[in-house]
Amino acid sequence: MKKIFLGVLASGSGSNFAAIAQALSQTDSYTSARTDDFKIELKISVLIYNNPQAYAAQRAKDLNIPTVLLDHREYASREKLDQSISDVLKAYEVDLVIMAGWMRVITQVLLDAFPNRLLNIHPSLLPSFPGIRAVEQALTYGVKITGCTVHVVSLEVDRGPILAQAAVEVLPTDTTASLQAKIQLEEHRIYPKAITAYCQKLQ
Ligand code: GRF
């Protein structure tokens, strides 16, 4: 049985973090999952958040998952923030970093510390609509199908090898909020599965 430790980075509500934690099933002090076929056990060992108001932190506390606040406003550069993130992740012996609504652009510092060990989820069918307000971008463009993408993180924002995608139909009645809600349901479904599948390949 190989243990793989996950570190989650979140800036906001943390619904993806909660979905991952739930999918991995709860234990007393950590969250874990067992995939007997592949003999691995996944545990979330820490949640790092950059915004003191992030509800993700409360969710982690409710699940007894350690939290660390690294407020980006206290750092002189993106690189310095990423060095602190890396230090915390290493201290928690993290093998794989999960960006779940992490609203900071990452640098080579973090990529070098965790090469091919950073995953992200984005609310569009990449490579369409990268960047901020992806749901709004898709709605404004008038696409009939959008969705979400799990990918390995590279230096270029919202690029990197695609691991999983799910499609969502855009209805004429959709608003940004209604479309976002439909996409999030899919995010919560595919992200835990993609993480587990990726971890199986990491062995
Ligand atoms: C998700 O829609 C994700 O695709 C994007 O940020 C949002 C985070 O939502 N990267 P939550 O904090 O997980 O609820």
Side-chain angles (χ1 to χ4, degrees):
M1 177 70 65
K2 182 175 160 60
K3 273 192 183 166
I4 296 180
F5 294 105
L6 308 179
V8 179
L9 308 183
S11 302
S13 148
S15 71
N16 277 283
F17 161 69
I20 294 162
Q22 191 183 13
L24 299 186
S25 89
Q26 280 173 245
T27 61
D28 285 350
S29 56
Y30 283 107
T31 297
S32 66
R34 206 164 275 175
T35 51
D36 283 333
D37 290 353
F38 295 90
K39 306 275 186 263
I40 62 171
E41 185 179 355
L42 309 186
K43 281 189 172 188
I44 300 176
S45 50
V46 64
L47 172 92
I48 295 175
Y49 62 111
N50 66 305
N51 165 16
Q53 316 303 330
Y55 186 60
Q58 187 57 49
R59 295 186 196 261
K61 284 165 193 158
D62 291 345
L63 292 168
N64 291 320
I65 292 173
T67 60
V68 176
L69 170 64
L70 297 177
D71 189 333
H72 59 278
R73 287 161 290 207
E74 292 171 9
Y75 291 84
S77 68
R78 291 187 197 280
E79 284 78 9
K80 289 201 166 100
L81 171 64
D82 279 3
Q83 188 57 57
S84 284
I85 293 170
S86 170
D87 292 346
V88 170
L89 293 170
K90 298 281 183 194
Y92 280 89
E93 300 182 357
V94 165
D95 300 297
L96 182 68
V97 186
I98 307 298
M99 290 164 57
W102 180 248
M103 300 305 286
R104 309 301 304 169
V105 173
I106 66 146
T107 70
Q108 196 67 46
V109 171
L110 198 51
L111 284 170
D112 285 346
F114 291 91
N116 292 316
R117 296 289 189 277
L118 280 132
L119 306 188
N120 183 42
I121 189 153
H122 182 75
S124 77
L125 292 175
L126 292 173
S128 295
F129 311 122
I132 58 167
R133 291 195 282 275
V135 178
E136 201 179 310
Q137 286 185 57
L139 200 58
T140 304
Y141 195 94
V143 293
K144 301 303 174 203
I145 294 171
T146 185
C148 51
T149 303
V150 179
H151 65 97
V152 182
V153 175
S154 62
L155 200 53
E156 208 183 343
V157 174
D158 298 329
R159 299 289 172 188
I162 290 174
L163 299 177
Q165 290 186 307
V168 167
E169 188 179 2
V170 184
L171 300 175
T173 50
D174 268 324
T175 60
T176 303
S178 69
L179 192 52
Q180 172 98 43
K182 289 192 288 187
I183 290 170
Q184 284 226 314
L185 285 179
E186 291 302 307
E187 290 184 341
H188 301 163
R189 189 177 64 78
I190 69 168
Y191 209 3
K193 283 186 184 172
I195 291 165
T196 305
Y198 194 73
C199 286
Q200 285 159 354
K201 285 195 293 183
L202 281 184
Q203 293 185 87

